[in-house]
Amino acid sequence: MLQQSANDSRSPARGTQDRLRFRHPKREDGQAVHDLIASCEALDGNSLYCNFLQCTHFSETCMLAEENGKILGWVSAYIPPKDPGTLFVWQVAVDEAARGRKLARRLIAKLLDSEGCEDIERIKTTITPDNRSSWRMFEGLADQFGAEVSDTVWLCEKKHFAGQHDSEHMLTIAPIGSSEDEARPAETMGQRMNQAEAAAA
């Protein structure tokens, strides 16, 4: 499940120097990641042990952003064993101090640029109907990649959650890259996003 807590519709303040560093997590990051997720009220909490597993066993499909040694952003994801062309995004968390810097999109773009995601063709995630910030973020991401968006109910409020949780819609963004891109000069997802933002300015 993903519930996006950051508002990525704003632009960074002019004159603000960006010192963000993006990297895959390591075991020592588990507690800080857990604390960041806990600080985002819209996000479902996971056990600390789960976050340690994400920072170790699934580190190649997770990404964090830090500034001056503090973790400000986090995305957890994995590649389903039976669907190697899909990156399933589990959660995106952004510290309140970093909102307005399009950090959620940048984290996903950095993850897609990484070695472990080089064969990814589509992004999938689940979002509840009322989580408008997540819908806007992923729809904006699809626009910048020139991809299509589709969604369907994956977990039903009544059938699967016994009325105790809102339905989760499975959102798919595709294609993310294609075989046609292989014949073109190498271009990262981050570069594509920067070009799209510049064109829209």
Side-chain angles (χ1 to χ4, degrees):
M1 180 198 320
L2 182 144
Q3 291 185 309
Q4 165 64 8
S5 63
N7 183 348
D8 280 310
S9 62
R10 295 169 291 176
S11 298
R14 292 184 179 180
T16 300
Q17 187 174 0
D18 196 334
R19 297 186 178 89
L20 285 171
R21 176 189 175 214
F22 295 86
R23 63 174 175 84
H24 292 294
K26 54 185 184 294
R27 182 170 54 185
E28 291 73 17
D29 297 314
Q31 182 68 62
V33 167
H34 184 76
D35 292 343
L36 174 61
I37 293 171
S39 73
C40 300
E41 294 182 1
L43 291 175
D44 290 339
N46 303 305
S47 69
L48 177 57
Y49 187 77
C50 172
N51 295 134
F52 276 116
L53 289 179
Q54 291 172 328
C55 290
T56 52
H57 294 184
F58 297 93
S59 62
E60 289 190 357
T61 53
C62 295
M63 183 69 65
L64 58 80
E66 61 182 358
E67 187 172 63
N68 299 323
K70 180 181 180 181
I71 295 176
L72 296 179
W74 162 258
V75 58
S76 57
Y78 63 90
I79 299 173
K82 295 183 179 181
D83 191 4
T86 293
L87 180 71
F88 183 87
V89 177
W90 186 346
Q91 283 186 319
V92 181
V94 176
D95 189 278
E96 185 176 2
R99 296 178 188 177
R101 299 167 72 175
K102 299 188 183 297
L103 190 49
R105 297 185 195 181
R106 293 166 67 187
L107 278 162
I108 295 173
K110 290 290 185 180
L111 181 56
L112 288 168
D113 284 341
S114 65
E115 184 176 352
C117 296
E118 56 189 6
D119 296 325
I120 293 302
E121 300 172 355
R122 68 193 68 83
I123 293 172
K124 289 190 176 184
T125 192
T126 65
I127 313 176
T128 54
D130 63 343
N131 193 349
R132 296 314 306 167
S133 61
S134 279
W135 286 99
R136 287 193 299 269
M137 191 277 286
F138 279 102
E139 287 167 353
L141 189 69
D143 287 342
Q144 290 179 333
F145 289 161
E148 299 293 327
V149 180
S150 61
D151 77 273
T152 184
V153 175
W154 187 60
L155 295 175
C156 177
E157 177 180 3
K158 293 183 179 179
K159 182 178 180 180
H160 301 106
F161 290 121
Q164 299 180 37
H165 191 288
D166 291 339
S167 295
E168 292 278 351
H169 286 241
M170 179 71 76
L171 184 146
T172 301
I173 299 174
I176 301 296
S178 67
S179 58
E180 296 178 358
D181 291 338
E182 297 175 1
R184 304 171 185 170
E187 185 180 60
T188 67
M189 293 293 179
Q191 288 172 330
R192 294 180 192 176
M193 290 177 66
N194 289 339
Q195 292 169 1
E197 289 178 0

Short mmCIF file of all heavy atoms in Angstrom, two decimals, residues 23 36 56 58 64 71 74 96 107 148 166-167 169 171 177 184:
data_model
loop_
_atom_site.label_atom_id
_atom_site.label_comp_id
_atom_site.label_asym_id
_atom_site.label_seq_id
_atom_site.Cartn_x
_atom_site.Cartn_y
_atom_site.Cartn_z
N ARG A 23 20.65 7.80 -2.40
CA ARG A 23 21.40 6.54 -2.33
C ARG A 23 20.47 5.41 -1.89
O ARG A 23 19.38 5.63 -1.37
CB ARG A 23 22.57 6.65 -1.36
CG ARG A 23 22.17 6.92 0.09
CD ARG A 23 23.37 6.86 1.01
NE ARG A 23 23.04 7.23 2.38
CZ ARG A 23 22.53 6.39 3.29
NH1 ARG A 23 22.26 5.13 2.95
NH2 ARG A 23 22.27 6.80 4.53
N LEU A 36 10.87 8.16 10.12
CA LEU A 36 10.33 9.04 9.08
C LEU A 36 8.92 8.62 8.70
O LEU A 36 8.00 9.46 8.61
CB LEU A 36 11.24 9.03 7.84
CG LEU A 36 10.71 9.80 6.62
CD1 LEU A 36 10.52 11.27 6.94
CD2 LEU A 36 11.67 9.62 5.44
N THR A 56 17.91 -3.89 3.75
CA THR A 56 18.94 -4.90 3.50
C THR A 56 18.56 -5.82 2.34
O THR A 56 19.11 -5.70 1.25
CB THR A 56 19.19 -5.73 4.78
OG1 THR A 56 17.94 -6.25 5.28
CG2 THR A 56 19.85 -4.88 5.85
N PHE A 58 15.98 -5.78 0.41
CA PHE A 58 15.36 -5.09 -0.73
C PHE A 58 16.02 -3.74 -1.01
O PHE A 58 15.41 -2.87 -1.62
CB PHE A 58 13.87 -4.90 -0.47
CG PHE A 58 13.11 -6.18 -0.34
CD1 PHE A 58 12.89 -6.75 0.91
CD2 PHE A 58 12.61 -6.84 -1.46
CE1 PHE A 58 12.20 -7.95 1.04
CE2 PHE A 58 11.92 -8.03 -1.34
CZ PHE A 58 11.71 -8.60 -0.08
N LEU A 64 16.68 6.40 -0.71
CA LEU A 64 16.44 7.47 0.26
C LEU A 64 17.17 8.73 -0.18
O LEU A 64 18.09 8.70 -1.00
CB LEU A 64 16.85 7.04 1.67
CG LEU A 64 18.29 6.60 1.94
CD1 LEU A 64 19.22 7.79 2.11
CD2 LEU A 64 18.34 5.73 3.20
N ILE A 71 17.86 11.87 6.95
CA ILE A 71 17.03 11.28 5.91
C ILE A 71 15.75 12.09 5.78
O ILE A 71 14.97 12.20 6.72
CB ILE A 71 16.72 9.81 6.21
CG1 ILE A 71 18.02 8.99 6.18
CG2 ILE A 71 15.72 9.25 5.19
CD1 ILE A 71 17.83 7.53 6.56
N TRP A 74 12.06 8.91 1.38
CA TRP A 74 12.20 7.45 1.33
C TRP A 74 11.19 6.88 0.36
O TRP A 74 10.03 7.30 0.34
CB TRP A 74 11.97 6.87 2.73
CG TRP A 74 11.67 5.40 2.80
CD1 TRP A 74 10.44 4.83 2.99
CD2 TRP A 74 12.60 4.33 2.72
NE1 TRP A 74 10.56 3.46 3.04
CE2 TRP A 74 11.88 3.12 2.88
CE3 TRP A 74 13.98 4.25 2.54
CZ2 TRP A 74 12.48 1.88 2.85
CZ3 TRP A 74 14.59 3.00 2.50
CH2 TRP A 74 13.85 1.84 2.66
N GLU A 96 8.47 16.67 6.48
CA GLU A 96 7.78 17.94 6.32
C GLU A 96 8.72 19.06 5.89
O GLU A 96 8.36 19.93 5.11
CB GLU A 96 7.08 18.32 7.62
CG GLU A 96 6.23 19.58 7.53
CD GLU A 96 5.48 19.88 8.80
OE1 GLU A 96 5.65 19.12 9.78
OE2 GLU A 96 4.71 20.86 8.82
N LEU A 107 12.82 10.84 -6.07
CA LEU A 107 13.22 9.56 -5.49
C LEU A 107 12.91 8.40 -6.43
O LEU A 107 13.74 7.52 -6.65
CB LEU A 107 12.49 9.35 -4.16
CG LEU A 107 13.08 10.02 -2.93
CD1 LEU A 107 12.04 10.09 -1.82
CD2 LEU A 107 14.32 9.28 -2.45
N GLU A 148 1.11 6.07 -20.00
CA GLU A 148 -0.32 5.99 -19.74
C GLU A 148 -0.57 5.54 -18.31
O GLU A 148 0.24 4.84 -17.70
CB GLU A 148 -0.97 5.00 -20.71
CG GLU A 148 -0.84 5.38 -22.18
CD GLU A 148 -1.63 6.64 -22.52
OE1 GLU A 148 -2.69 6.85 -21.91
OE2 GLU A 148 -1.18 7.40 -23.39
N ASP A 166 -10.35 1.48 3.56
CA ASP A 166 -10.81 1.88 2.23
C ASP A 166 -10.25 0.96 1.16
O ASP A 166 -9.17 0.37 1.32
CB ASP A 166 -10.36 3.32 1.93
CG ASP A 166 -11.09 4.34 2.77
OD1 ASP A 166 -12.17 4.02 3.29
OD2 ASP A 166 -10.55 5.46 2.93
N SER A 167 -10.95 0.85 0.05
CA SER A 167 -10.47 0.04 -1.08
C SER A 167 -9.13 0.58 -1.58
O SER A 167 -8.87 1.78 -1.55
CB SER A 167 -11.49 0.06 -2.22
OG SER A 167 -12.69 -0.56 -1.84
N HIS A 169 -6.82 0.90 -4.88
CA HIS A 169 -6.82 0.84 -6.33
C HIS A 169 -5.40 0.55 -6.83
O HIS A 169 -4.45 1.21 -6.42
CB HIS A 169 -7.29 2.16 -6.94
CG HIS A 169 -8.76 2.37 -6.80
ND1 HIS A 169 -9.60 2.52 -7.89
CD2 HIS A 169 -9.57 2.43 -5.71
CE1 HIS A 169 -10.84 2.68 -7.49
NE2 HIS A 169 -10.84 2.63 -6.16
N LEU A 171 -2.83 1.08 -9.41
CA LEU A 171 -2.52 2.03 -10.47
C LEU A 171 -1.30 1.54 -11.25
O LEU A 171 -0.30 1.13 -10.64
CB LEU A 171 -2.26 3.41 -9.86
CG LEU A 171 -2.02 4.59 -10.80
CD1 LEU A 171 -2.58 5.87 -10.18
CD2 LEU A 171 -0.51 4.77 -11.05
N GLY A 177 10.06 3.57 -20.36
CA GLY A 177 11.12 3.12 -21.26
C GLY A 177 10.56 2.05 -22.17
O GLY A 177 9.47 1.52 -21.97
N ARG A 184 18.53 4.77 -28.98
CA ARG A 184 18.80 6.18 -28.80
C ARG A 184 19.96 6.38 -27.85
O ARG A 184 20.32 5.48 -27.10
CB ARG A 184 17.55 6.88 -28.23
CG ARG A 184 16.31 6.68 -29.09
CD ARG A 184 15.08 7.21 -28.35
NE ARG A 184 13.87 6.92 -29.11
CZ ARG A 184 12.65 7.09 -28.62
NH1 ARG A 184 12.49 7.54 -27.41
NH2 ARG A 184 11.60 6.80 -29.36
#
